[in-house]
Amino acid sequence: ARAVKPFRVSHSPGMIHRLQSILPFRLTRAQERVIDEIVRDLTSPHPMNRLIQGDVGSGKTVVALHAVAVACASGLQAALMAPTELLAEQHYLNVAPLCARLGLQAVLLSGKERGTGKRELVARIAEGTAQVIVGTHALLQHKVRFAKLGLAVIDEQHKFGVLQRKMLVDKGYQPDVLIMTATPIPRTLAMTVYGDLDVSVIDALPPGRKPVQTVAFAASQRRKGYQLVVDELRAGNGVSPVAAGGIRRVSGGADPR
């Protein structure tokens, strides 16, 4: 029998409209389709287990933010876990201003926090005044407890172990789980690796976004790979290291899309 969530998430069209009204861009049809799939899962009595697959720049973060907004509108907390402090900080800088305009309190919890500052953050999470919690593996620490964790968003799942994902999920009571990945995964492999997940694909880039070019290098070509990184950075582009030997070229900087 499928698990049943001990809480109900309402559709919250008002919250979705408010969020979309403050975005500095329009969503693509692909993003809107995936958001509809997520909202159906969130409002279901059964916990969501969904994977969002989309290339760099396709707009996964803002889609996940819709899920966060809907969960928080129902009085729940949402956690967004990233594999590195740099990525967690990037997510926080992107989503925190939008959360503030929606009346939601967002905090960043990473390994950098120490002493009184960290204790205050942990207390805010435990009492529920922090509604959106962005962080790294620090979210898995035993001392970090949530008042009512209803949604767990996990970025680049393949960089976390299965047990790490379970540790975060276990901090909630049958929370909805949304996983994001920019790593191209053939559908047959996705069924093998993520057989317990429903898969949503954002298959279109926002207007003005250039296609992402993925280049793979053998170990013997390491110097060539490093030179490509240097050349792209000098040209003002971003470069995202991905799975072993892969380098992904990204035009322009990051934004919440």
Side-chain angles (χ1 to χ4, degrees), residues 45 53 77 98 103 109-110 132 168 178 246 256:
Q53 182 180 328
Q77 289 173 299
L98 294 171
L109 181 65
S110 65
V132 182
L168 179 59
L178 187 63

Side-chain angles (χ1 to χ4, degrees), residues 20 23 25-36 57-60 62-63 66 201-209 257:
Q20 294 182 355
L23 293 176
F25 50 81
R26 293 190 63 178
L27 299 175
T28 64
R29 289 186 178 180
Q31 288 172 310
E32 291 175 342
R33 170 175 46 78
V34 174
I35 289 169
D36 287 343
S58 62
K60 297 183 298 297
V62 75
V63 167
H66 280 72
V201 180
I202 303 178
D203 52 8
L205 293 175
R209 285 297 180 101
R257 279 183 278 190

Side-chain angles (χ1 to χ4, degrees), residues 149 163-175:
L149 179 62
L163 292 180
Q164 289 175 316
R165 184 178 111 190
K166 184 175 184 297
M167 287 172 65
L168 179 59
V169 171
D170 285 348
K171 288 177 178 287
Y173 299 97
Q174 299 291 347

Side-chain angles (χ1 to χ4, degrees), residues 223-238:
R223 185 179 297 275
K224 181 179 179 182
Y226 287 153
Q227 187 59 51
L228 174 61
V229 171
V230 172
D231 292 344
E232 289 297 320
L233 292 176
R234 285 176 176 169
N237 295 324

